[in-house]
Amino acid sequence: MEHIGRVLQPDWRPTEWSQEHWLFVGDPDNLYTRIFRCITPACPLLTDVRKNGRCTSCMKFLRDRGGDIGQLEHDTAGRTNDPRARHGLPRSLCEAGRGRNQCEREAWTTGLCNTHAIQWRKTYRDQGMTIREFIESDIPSPRPALSQCIVSACLRQRCGMKSELCTAHRTVFRRRVNPAMNECEFAVVTGPIGARGNISLLPMPEPLRSEFLFAMQADDDAGYGIDPVLVAVAAQQLAQIGRSFLEPDFLDRALGCVPMTQRRLRAFVRRAGTRILMLNSVFNEVDPTAGDVWDSYAVGLRTTGQRRGRSNPGNDKKYVAKRHLIDFTPIRQIWLRELVKHWGRDMRPATDEIAEAIRAFTIMSQALSLRSGSDDSTTADVRDIQRTLASINMLKKADGERYSGVIRSKYLTSLRRPLQYLRGAGYMDSIPAGFAITADDKVERPRPSEEKAGKALPYRVVMSVVRAIPLLPDGVGQSGALLNGPELTMLYRAALRALIDTGRRSNEICSLKVGCVTKTVPSLGDGNTVEYTLTYDNHKAGRDGRTLPITRETGEALLEWQQIRQTLDLPARFATWLFPSPSAGRIDADRHLTPPALNRALARLIETVPRFESDVPDPESGGYLDFKGKIEQYSFRHSYAQRHADAGVDPDTLRELMDHRSIATTMGYYTVSAKRKRAAIEKLSPMSVDWHGTSAPMVSTSSYEVGSVAVPWGNCTEPSNVKAGGHACPIRFRCSGCSMYRPDPSFLPGMQEHVTQLRATLAMVEMAGSAAPWVLQSMREEIVGYDEIMQAMRARIEALTAEERNAVEDASAALRKVRAQRPMIPLTVIRRTDA
């Protein structure tokens, strides 16, 4: 491409890129160059392994020597002419003449230059003289240095007087593809011997060489950095494909040569190709929106996330846009298709927004096709709008279920906004005014179903996900990032554990800060009383620094990750976050882990579980039915709340745990369907007992609901109190001494809590000595009465089978939530004072 020189950056990476030699020499000290020093002392080579990595030569040495690291370090430090430095680095000088006049020619593996090695081999070796003796003798006379190899940027001396190439390039020259090519012609199209970390573009033909350099610079600007090993492989492979990315099918042929398993290499080649195609369309003033299929990269459309400015405020560098093919052909009527294309050209919407619009207008197109003459835009009217609205209302998923009202509203919005713009911009002047979507056009909202299932996951599903966390497969480090696969896996395991166990929103988990877990050890007591507290920010409500008690297992998991996280060598701007961005190290990296990244990790985790069991027993197999629902990040927040609501936690406490501003939001978790309520009553009414703990079942479900009133620790059947709604108890709620008292197992937690409070009050009154003996005796007898009732009910529950006990527990949880939804009698007395 003749215009490529206009966009190349002349001062790009001056310490690494040499425009004169078309050579990139990776600097291990550059944070955005993925090349690192070998950890073997005195080893001059580099590696692409970031943490504790060794070069290829050192790894081979260890394999050959059985992993003897001590021998490796000794061998490296003790040899002045290390043959492992052959990859592009100049060799050490000949050892002949040391202490006198140094020979200036490069040494071979013997420690001698070629001239002195031949002299020793032909004359003195047969006389019994060793190489060391020859070197230390006065026989070898120093030789002047030979001229440098004629290959651009090669740092080695020519191999002899008969060739102008170094030994390595002389070997490559002898294997050249074109036998007619001489050494000078060979040197022009050949780069230096490839050291790990070096990229030579000289072997690439023009204009591919300039295009590839532009792709490297654009990749660097986009935040991907430079991976010299990966880019060098790409340059070598592309040089064999053709001369330019603009050749027909060049990109497809290039991708066809890269295995599907090499995802990072394929991504780099794809980015390079799309950048060149877009640049070409800009320079040649080609309208990329002329056809019915648009290339989003050539058009310049971005995704919604990119349009919202995911960038580094310091240098405004952003992600390169992802490539999408935008196909308008599903819209059958040409006039309607052209209208949508006009909107796309003018408004430049996000790629996902224009895709939604095409789907919505495809529905309108299908509705128009139901009548004759739909290809004439002047016949469009309000009836077509009504047909379209009816089609949207009837949309169904692949399984036959209708789309939700939210999804159908999105389709309607994707029609309304473009039509409003097109009408105002004058594109629809010839179309009747009735062809428009007004504020009165709305989708049908599904009626709320009384039996609609909640969003909480069954307990068995949650536990299956928790057990699978240690089995989460290793992730893949991103190109240019400083976190490798194993480190990312440990990060995701800790984040998923926190998401599942704490009930916090995904953005609250992702933005946790270092030091967010507080471990409190009481001065008295054993280790089991250690408490853990999580500090987080409620972004939705704008309340920062919220605290939440968490379990010991979750606290220890987060603290363990925090210790690992402190060992990571990351830039200072990531130091605040417990879960730094997986892209940390790249220019465009977010500050911390994002909910979409956490969601992808959750999807990988779910794939590791072969089967999820629901809480519904399977009578045939004796186990549990399969769970077919959807598992999402927010499901675990619902599960956390539902678990506490089922356990009988009062609404005020649960509101604090969920950090809800309104108690009405919390009460949503206490909602029980009428069907489940009736089933729970049918299960528990036969288990009602009287004040002596003797079985006293309700006659029917109706008598349970109509003939009793719920008081704090059971049901009351005393007629006057039932008639008064629980406000006319003759004995002031001393239920354990009343023959009309009918508790069932759903009241056990409340009864136990009441007895505990009674015992605490009795102990306090006894110490104070301020009460008459008959008062103390009354309190003791009340406690005994409740204990007898609870013992009788627990004995009956223990006599049940495991399946029956589970059913009783589920029914008890349902009724506790029903009672929590409307406060029990007696109500709390609020004393008002006059102003």
mmCIF file of all heavy atoms in Angstrom, residues 139-180:
data_model
loop_
_atom_site.group_PDB
_atom_site.id
_atom_site.type_symbol
_atom_site.label_atom_id
_atom_site.label_comp_id
_atom_site.label_asym_id
_atom_site.label_seq_id
_atom_site.Cartn_x
_atom_site.Cartn_y
_atom_site.Cartn_z
ATOM 1 N N ILE A 139 53.346 -19.612 21.070
ATOM 2 C CA ILE A 139 53.248 -19.992 19.653
ATOM 3 C C ILE A 139 52.212 -19.173 18.908
ATOM 4 O O ILE A 139 52.523 -18.590 17.855
ATOM 5 C CB ILE A 139 52.949 -21.500 19.528
ATOM 6 C CG1 ILE A 139 54.079 -22.321 20.147
ATOM 7 C CG2 ILE A 139 52.713 -21.878 18.075
ATOM 8 C CD1 ILE A 139 53.782 -23.798 20.208
ATOM 9 N N PRO A 140 50.933 -19.122 19.371
ATOM 10 C CA PRO A 140 49.916 -18.398 18.585
ATOM 11 C C PRO A 140 50.161 -16.895 18.622
ATOM 12 O O PRO A 140 50.357 -16.303 19.691
ATOM 13 C CB PRO A 140 48.600 -18.762 19.265
ATOM 14 C CG PRO A 140 48.971 -19.103 20.658
ATOM 15 C CD PRO A 140 50.350 -19.715 20.601
ATOM 16 N N SER A 141 50.190 -16.304 17.485
ATOM 17 C CA SER A 141 50.337 -14.855 17.387
ATOM 18 C C SER A 141 48.963 -14.234 17.172
ATOM 19 O O SER A 141 48.133 -14.791 16.438
ATOM 20 C CB SER A 141 51.265 -14.486 16.222
ATOM 21 O OG SER A 141 50.769 -15.004 15.007
ATOM 22 N N PRO A 142 48.665 -13.101 17.799
ATOM 23 C CA PRO A 142 47.330 -12.497 17.678
ATOM 24 C C PRO A 142 47.018 -12.093 16.249
ATOM 25 O O PRO A 142 47.904 -11.694 15.488
ATOM 26 C CB PRO A 142 47.405 -11.286 18.606
ATOM 27 C CG PRO A 142 48.850 -10.975 18.720
ATOM 28 C CD PRO A 142 49.589 -12.281 18.609
ATOM 29 N N ARG A 143 45.747 -12.217 15.903
ATOM 30 C CA ARG A 143 45.281 -11.851 14.577
ATOM 31 C C ARG A 143 44.337 -10.659 14.673
ATOM 32 O O ARG A 143 43.566 -10.541 15.617
ATOM 33 C CB ARG A 143 44.528 -13.024 13.939
ATOM 34 C CG ARG A 143 45.354 -14.288 13.821
ATOM 35 C CD ARG A 143 46.372 -14.179 12.734
ATOM 36 N NE ARG A 143 47.140 -15.411 12.589
ATOM 37 C CZ ARG A 143 48.035 -15.627 11.630
ATOM 38 N NH1 ARG A 143 48.263 -14.679 10.743
ATOM 39 N NH2 ARG A 143 48.699 -16.766 11.565
ATOM 40 N N PRO A 144 44.364 -9.789 13.687
ATOM 41 C CA PRO A 144 43.431 -8.651 13.710
ATOM 42 C C PRO A 144 42.005 -9.123 13.429
ATOM 43 O O PRO A 144 41.786 -10.154 12.809
ATOM 44 C CB PRO A 144 43.954 -7.749 12.591
ATOM 45 C CG PRO A 144 44.659 -8.680 11.653
ATOM 46 C CD PRO A 144 45.264 -9.762 12.504
ATOM 47 N N ALA A 145 41.066 -8.337 13.882
ATOM 48 C CA ALA A 145 39.658 -8.696 13.701
ATOM 49 C C ALA A 145 39.277 -8.674 12.229
ATOM 50 O O ALA A 145 39.775 -7.846 11.459
ATOM 51 C CB ALA A 145 38.768 -7.747 14.496
ATOM 52 N N LEU A 146 38.382 -9.583 11.874
ATOM 53 C CA LEU A 146 37.831 -9.584 10.527
ATOM 54 C C LEU A 146 36.707 -8.564 10.435
ATOM 55 O O LEU A 146 36.143 -8.132 11.448
ATOM 56 C CB LEU A 146 37.304 -10.980 10.180
ATOM 57 C CG LEU A 146 38.355 -12.099 10.108
ATOM 58 C CD1 LEU A 146 37.668 -13.447 9.963
ATOM 59 C CD2 LEU A 146 39.318 -11.867 8.958
ATOM 60 N N SER A 147 36.379 -8.162 9.247
ATOM 61 C CA SER A 147 35.289 -7.201 9.069
ATOM 62 C C SER A 147 33.958 -7.825 9.480
ATOM 63 O O SER A 147 33.823 -9.052 9.570
ATOM 64 C CB SER A 147 35.226 -6.733 7.608
ATOM 65 O OG SER A 147 35.017 -7.840 6.752
ATOM 66 N N GLN A 148 32.954 -6.988 9.717
ATOM 67 C CA GLN A 148 31.659 -7.455 10.193
ATOM 68 C C GLN A 148 30.883 -8.105 9.066
ATOM 69 O O GLN A 148 31.048 -7.782 7.889
ATOM 70 C CB GLN A 148 30.870 -6.277 10.773
ATOM 71 C CG GLN A 148 29.653 -6.670 11.582
ATOM 72 C CD GLN A 148 29.107 -5.499 12.377
ATOM 73 O OE1 GLN A 148 29.875 -4.677 12.855
ATOM 74 N NE2 GLN A 148 27.796 -5.427 12.510
ATOM 75 N N CYS A 149 30.026 -9.025 9.439
ATOM 76 C CA CYS A 149 29.142 -9.694 8.487
ATOM 77 C C CYS A 149 28.312 -8.652 7.747
ATOM 78 O O CYS A 149 27.870 -7.660 8.343
ATOM 79 C CB CYS A 149 28.245 -10.672 9.224
ATOM 80 S SG CYS A 149 27.008 -11.484 8.199
ATOM 81 N N ILE A 150 28.111 -8.851 6.451
ATOM 82 C CA ILE A 150 27.422 -7.844 5.634
ATOM 83 C C ILE A 150 25.907 -7.872 5.822
ATOM 84 O O ILE A 150 25.205 -7.014 5.279
ATOM 85 C CB ILE A 150 27.762 -8.038 4.140
ATOM 86 C CG1 ILE A 150 27.303 -9.414 3.646
ATOM 87 C CG2 ILE A 150 29.239 -7.812 3.883
ATOM 88 C CD1 ILE A 150 27.463 -9.598 2.156
ATOM 89 N N VAL A 151 25.388 -8.844 6.566
ATOM 90 C CA VAL A 151 23.958 -8.848 6.852
ATOM 91 C C VAL A 151 23.626 -7.700 7.796
ATOM 92 O O VAL A 151 24.316 -7.490 8.798
ATOM 93 C CB VAL A 151 23.519 -10.192 7.463
ATOM 94 C CG1 VAL A 151 22.079 -10.127 7.916
ATOM 95 C CG2 VAL A 151 23.715 -11.307 6.456
ATOM 96 N N SER A 152 22.585 -6.950 7.484
ATOM 97 C CA SER A 152 22.211 -5.781 8.273
ATOM 98 C C SER A 152 21.974 -6.166 9.730
ATOM 99 O O SER A 152 21.267 -7.133 10.021
ATOM 100 C CB SER A 152 20.952 -5.147 7.687
ATOM 101 O OG SER A 152 20.525 -4.063 8.478
ATOM 102 N N ALA A 153 22.587 -5.408 10.635
ATOM 103 C CA ALA A 153 22.421 -5.543 12.085
ATOM 104 C C ALA A 153 23.049 -6.806 12.643
ATOM 105 O O ALA A 153 22.900 -7.074 13.838
ATOM 106 C CB ALA A 153 20.943 -5.491 12.483
ATOM 107 N N CYS A 154 23.756 -7.597 11.856
ATOM 108 C CA CYS A 154 24.459 -8.757 12.402
ATOM 109 C C CYS A 154 25.724 -8.273 13.103
ATOM 110 O O CYS A 154 26.513 -7.508 12.533
ATOM 111 C CB CYS A 154 24.805 -9.751 11.284
ATOM 112 S SG CYS A 154 25.634 -11.242 11.900
ATOM 113 N N LEU A 155 25.939 -8.706 14.312
ATOM 114 C CA LEU A 155 27.043 -8.217 15.131
ATOM 115 C C LEU A 155 28.277 -9.101 15.080
ATOM 116 O O LEU A 155 29.255 -8.830 15.770
ATOM 117 C CB LEU A 155 26.570 -8.094 16.590
ATOM 118 C CG LEU A 155 25.336 -7.201 16.815
ATOM 119 C CD1 LEU A 155 24.941 -7.214 18.282
ATOM 120 C CD2 LEU A 155 25.605 -5.782 16.344
ATOM 121 N N ARG A 156 28.262 -10.139 14.249
ATOM 122 C CA ARG A 156 29.378 -11.082 14.229
ATOM 123 C C ARG A 156 30.363 -10.746 13.093
ATOM 124 O O ARG A 156 30.030 -10.065 12.126
ATOM 125 C CB ARG A 156 28.854 -12.502 14.058
ATOM 126 C CG ARG A 156 28.044 -12.978 15.237
ATOM 127 C CD ARG A 156 27.578 -14.395 15.034
ATOM 128 N NE ARG A 156 26.855 -14.878 16.205
ATOM 129 C CZ ARG A 156 26.325 -16.084 16.323
ATOM 130 N NH1 ARG A 156 26.440 -16.946 15.323
ATOM 131 N NH2 ARG A 156 25.692 -16.445 17.417
ATOM 132 N N GLN A 157 31.565 -11.291 13.262
ATOM 133 C CA GLN A 157 32.586 -11.126 12.233
ATOM 134 C C GLN A 157 32.346 -12.126 11.098
ATOM 135 O O GLN A 157 31.741 -13.182 11.299
ATOM 136 C CB GLN A 157 33.983 -11.345 12.822
ATOM 137 C CG GLN A 157 34.356 -10.348 13.909
ATOM 138 C CD GLN A 157 35.717 -10.640 14.504
ATOM 139 O OE1 GLN A 157 36.494 -11.443 13.964
ATOM 140 N NE2 GLN A 157 36.038 -9.989 15.615
ATOM 141 N N ARG A 158 32.824 -11.773 9.920
ATOM 142 C CA ARG A 158 32.757 -12.702 8.806
ATOM 143 C C ARG A 158 33.555 -13.948 9.140
ATOM 144 O O ARG A 158 34.505 -13.914 9.925
ATOM 145 C CB ARG A 158 33.271 -12.048 7.534
ATOM 146 C CG ARG A 158 34.692 -11.523 7.671
ATOM 147 C CD ARG A 158 35.071 -10.567 6.583
ATOM 148 N NE ARG A 158 35.125 -11.232 5.283
ATOM 149 C CZ ARG A 158 35.529 -10.607 4.163
ATOM 150 N NH1 ARG A 158 35.886 -9.317 4.211
ATOM 151 N NH2 ARG A 158 35.563 -11.251 3.027
ATOM 152 N N CYS A 159 33.206 -15.051 8.519
ATOM 153 C CA CYS A 159 33.807 -16.324 8.912
ATOM 154 C C CYS A 159 35.216 -16.511 8.344
ATOM 155 O O CYS A 159 35.983 -17.362 8.819
ATOM 156 C CB CYS A 159 32.921 -17.479 8.475
ATOM 157 S SG CYS A 159 32.680 -17.577 6.681
ATOM 158 N N GLY A 160 35.574 -15.776 7.333
ATOM 159 C CA GLY A 160 36.918 -15.921 6.762
ATOM 160 C C GLY A 160 37.118 -14.961 5.619
ATOM 161 O O GLY A 160 36.246 -14.141 5.286
ATOM 162 N N MET A 161 38.268 -15.077 4.970
ATOM 163 C CA MET A 161 38.595 -14.150 3.893
ATOM 164 C C MET A 161 37.809 -14.447 2.625
ATOM 165 O O MET A 161 37.649 -13.576 1.775
ATOM 166 C CB MET A 161 40.095 -14.209 3.599
ATOM 167 C CG MET A 161 40.971 -13.867 4.802
ATOM 168 S SD MET A 161 40.633 -12.220 5.488
ATOM 169 C CE MET A 161 41.070 -11.189 4.097
ATOM 170 N N LYS A 162 37.303 -15.674 2.482
ATOM 171 C CA LYS A 162 36.616 -16.053 1.259
ATOM 172 C C LYS A 162 35.119 -15.751 1.286
ATOM 173 O O LYS A 162 34.454 -15.908 0.264
ATOM 174 C CB LYS A 162 36.819 -17.539 0.995
ATOM 175 C CG LYS A 162 38.268 -17.923 0.744
ATOM 176 C CD LYS A 162 38.367 -19.403 0.441
ATOM 177 C CE LYS A 162 39.827 -19.794 0.164
ATOM 178 N NZ LYS A 162 39.946 -21.250 -0.149
ATOM 179 N N SER A 163 34.604 -15.365 2.414
ATOM 180 C CA SER A 163 33.180 -15.068 2.520
ATOM 181 C C SER A 163 32.975 -13.807 3.335
ATOM 182 O O SER A 163 33.744 -13.506 4.258
ATOM 183 C CB SER A 163 32.439 -16.233 3.183
ATOM 184 O OG SER A 163 31.088 -15.907 3.386
ATOM 185 N N GLU A 164 31.944 -13.059 2.952
ATOM 186 C CA GLU A 164 31.627 -11.833 3.682
ATOM 187 C C GLU A 164 30.511 -12.058 4.702
ATOM 188 O O GLU A 164 30.005 -11.107 5.291
ATOM 189 C CB GLU A 164 31.193 -10.746 2.696
ATOM 190 C CG GLU A 164 32.297 -10.308 1.751
ATOM 191 C CD GLU A 164 31.860 -9.177 0.846
ATOM 192 O OE1 GLU A 164 31.180 -9.444 -0.158
ATOM 193 O OE2 GLU A 164 32.192 -8.013 1.170
ATOM 194 N N LEU A 165 30.146 -13.290 4.915
ATOM 195 C CA LEU A 165 29.118 -13.637 5.882
ATOM 196 C C LEU A 165 29.738 -14.274 7.108
ATOM 197 O O LEU A 165 30.818 -14.882 7.033
ATOM 198 C CB LEU A 165 28.103 -14.610 5.267
ATOM 199 C CG LEU A 165 27.349 -14.140 4.025
ATOM 200 C CD1 LEU A 165 26.525 -15.277 3.456
ATOM 201 C CD2 LEU A 165 26.467 -12.940 4.342
ATOM 202 N N CYS A 166 29.036 -14.143 8.272
ATOM 203 C CA CYS A 166 29.474 -14.849 9.467
ATOM 204 C C CYS A 166 29.189 -16.337 9.294
ATOM 205 O O CYS A 166 28.539 -16.761 8.340
ATOM 206 C CB CYS A 166 28.776 -14.301 10.702
ATOM 207 S SG CYS A 166 26.991 -14.602 10.724
ATOM 208 N N THR A 167 29.669 -17.113 10.215
ATOM 209 C CA THR A 167 29.515 -18.570 10.087
ATOM 210 C C THR A 167 28.053 -18.968 10.029
ATOM 211 O O THR A 167 27.650 -19.807 9.213
ATOM 212 C CB THR A 167 30.197 -19.257 11.276
ATOM 213 O OG1 THR A 167 31.565 -18.828 11.342
ATOM 214 C CG2 THR A 167 30.151 -20.760 11.132
ATOM 215 N N ALA A 168 27.205 -18.360 10.908
ATOM 216 C CA ALA A 168 25.798 -18.737 10.954
ATOM 217 C C ALA A 168 25.090 -18.371 9.656
ATOM 218 O O ALA A 168 24.336 -19.166 9.085
ATOM 219 C CB ALA A 168 25.111 -18.073 12.143
ATOM 220 N N HIS A 169 25.327 -17.165 9.151
ATOM 221 C CA HIS A 169 24.674 -16.752 7.912
ATOM 222 C C HIS A 169 25.251 -17.507 6.715
ATOM 223 O O HIS A 169 24.531 -17.743 5.723
ATOM 224 C CB HIS A 169 24.821 -15.246 7.708
ATOM 225 C CG HIS A 169 23.852 -14.440 8.510
ATOM 226 N ND1 HIS A 169 24.227 -13.574 9.503
ATOM 227 C CD2 HIS A 169 22.492 -14.387 8.478
ATOM 228 C CE1 HIS A 169 23.163 -13.011 10.045
ATOM 229 N NE2 HIS A 169 22.091 -13.486 9.441
ATOM 230 N N ARG A 170 26.522 -17.874 6.791
ATOM 231 C CA ARG A 170 27.102 -18.671 5.715
ATOM 232 C C ARG A 170 26.392 -20.029 5.614
ATOM 233 O O ARG A 170 26.107 -20.521 4.515
ATOM 234 C CB ARG A 170 28.590 -18.881 5.998
ATOM 235 C CG ARG A 170 29.319 -19.772 5.001
ATOM 236 C CD ARG A 170 29.438 -19.130 3.644
ATOM 237 N NE ARG A 170 30.231 -19.943 2.739
ATOM 238 C CZ ARG A 170 30.405 -19.686 1.447
ATOM 239 N NH1 ARG A 170 29.829 -18.609 0.912
ATOM 240 N NH2 ARG A 170 31.137 -20.469 0.682
ATOM 241 N N THR A 171 26.027 -20.606 6.773
ATOM 242 C CA THR A 171 25.306 -21.886 6.782
ATOM 243 C C THR A 171 23.922 -21.722 6.172
ATOM 244 O O THR A 171 23.474 -22.557 5.379
ATOM 245 C CB THR A 171 25.198 -22.407 8.220
ATOM 246 O OG1 THR A 171 26.510 -22.559 8.766
ATOM 247 C CG2 THR A 171 24.475 -23.745 8.259
ATOM 248 N N VAL A 172 23.222 -20.628 6.524
ATOM 249 C CA VAL A 172 21.896 -20.384 5.964
ATOM 250 C C VAL A 172 21.998 -20.114 4.473
ATOM 251 O O VAL A 172 21.153 -20.566 3.678
ATOM 252 C CB VAL A 172 21.211 -19.202 6.692
ATOM 253 C CG1 VAL A 172 19.852 -18.896 6.077
ATOM 254 C CG2 VAL A 172 21.061 -19.502 8.174
ATOM 255 N N PHE A 173 23.028 -19.385 4.063
ATOM 256 C CA PHE A 173 23.203 -19.054 2.640
ATOM 257 C C PHE A 173 23.379 -20.316 1.808
ATOM 258 O O PHE A 173 22.846 -20.421 0.698
ATOM 259 C CB PHE A 173 24.404 -18.129 2.486
ATOM 260 C CG PHE A 173 24.792 -17.866 1.059
ATOM 261 C CD1 PHE A 173 24.012 -17.076 0.241
ATOM 262 C CD2 PHE A 173 25.951 -18.440 0.522
ATOM 263 C CE1 PHE A 173 24.368 -16.843 -1.086
ATOM 264 C CE2 PHE A 173 26.307 -18.215 -0.797
ATOM 265 C CZ PHE A 173 25.517 -17.410 -1.600
ATOM 266 N N ARG A 174 24.090 -21.275 2.302
ATOM 267 C CA ARG A 174 24.317 -22.503 1.554
ATOM 268 C C ARG A 174 23.022 -23.297 1.367
ATOM 269 O O ARG A 174 22.927 -24.130 0.469
ATOM 270 C CB ARG A 174 25.351 -23.364 2.277
ATOM 271 C CG ARG A 174 26.781 -22.792 2.176
ATOM 272 C CD ARG A 174 27.743 -23.604 3.011
ATOM 273 N NE ARG A 174 29.122 -23.116 2.844
ATOM 274 C CZ ARG A 174 30.165 -23.561 3.534
ATOM 275 N NH1 ARG A 174 29.993 -24.510 4.456
ATOM 276 N NH2 ARG A 174 31.375 -23.084 3.306
ATOM 277 N N ARG A 175 22.028 -23.051 2.233
ATOM 278 C CA ARG A 175 20.757 -23.758 2.122
ATOM 279 C C ARG A 175 19.684 -22.891 1.449
ATOM 280 O O ARG A 175 18.494 -23.190 1.526
ATOM 281 C CB ARG A 175 20.258 -24.158 3.509
ATOM 282 C CG ARG A 175 21.214 -25.079 4.265
ATOM 283 C CD ARG A 175 20.750 -25.246 5.690
ATOM 284 N NE ARG A 175 21.673 -26.076 6.466
ATOM 285 C CZ ARG A 175 21.622 -26.239 7.791
ATOM 286 N NH1 ARG A 175 20.671 -25.610 8.483
ATOM 287 N NH2 ARG A 175 22.490 -26.987 8.418
ATOM 288 N N ARG A 176 20.095 -21.823 0.783
ATOM 289 C CA ARG A 176 19.153 -20.872 0.198
ATOM 290 C C ARG A 176 18.268 -21.543 -0.841
ATOM 291 O O ARG A 176 18.643 -22.511 -1.495
ATOM 292 C CB ARG A 176 19.901 -19.697 -0.414
ATOM 293 C CG ARG A 176 20.780 -20.083 -1.598
ATOM 294 C CD ARG A 176 21.718 -18.935 -1.958
ATOM 295 N NE ARG A 176 22.552 -19.237 -3.127
ATOM 296 C CZ ARG A 176 23.657 -19.967 -3.092
ATOM 297 N NH1 ARG A 176 24.055 -20.507 -1.934
ATOM 298 N NH2 ARG A 176 24.371 -20.168 -4.186
ATOM 299 N N VAL A 177 17.068 -20.977 -0.998
ATOM 300 C CA VAL A 177 16.109 -21.541 -1.950
ATOM 301 C C VAL A 177 16.528 -21.244 -3.379
ATOM 302 O O VAL A 177 16.424 -22.097 -4.271
ATOM 303 C CB VAL A 177 14.695 -20.981 -1.674
ATOM 304 C CG1 VAL A 177 13.707 -21.496 -2.715
ATOM 305 C CG2 VAL A 177 14.248 -21.335 -0.268
ATOM 306 N N ASN A 178 17.041 -20.037 -3.605
ATOM 307 C CA ASN A 178 17.447 -19.622 -4.963
ATOM 308 C C ASN A 178 18.954 -19.814 -5.122
ATOM 309 O O ASN A 178 19.737 -19.032 -4.586
ATOM 310 C CB ASN A 178 17.065 -18.167 -5.193
ATOM 311 C CG ASN A 178 17.364 -17.698 -6.608
ATOM 312 O OD1 ASN A 178 17.799 -18.487 -7.460
ATOM 313 N ND2 ASN A 178 17.127 -16.414 -6.869
ATOM 314 N N PRO A 179 19.391 -20.813 -5.862
ATOM 315 C CA PRO A 179 20.843 -21.051 -5.996
ATOM 316 C C PRO A 179 21.570 -19.926 -6.708
ATOM 317 O O PRO A 179 22.785 -19.762 -6.518
ATOM 318 C CB PRO A 179 20.908 -22.355 -6.811
ATOM 319 C CG PRO A 179 19.555 -22.979 -6.678
ATOM 320 C CD PRO A 179 18.602 -21.844 -6.545
ATOM 321 N N ALA A 180 20.854 -19.131 -7.538
ATOM 322 C CA ALA A 180 21.517 -18.073 -8.291
ATOM 323 C C ALA A 180 21.793 -16.828 -7.440
ATOM 324 O O ALA A 180 22.494 -15.928 -7.883
ATOM 325 C CB ALA A 180 20.662 -17.698 -9.506
#
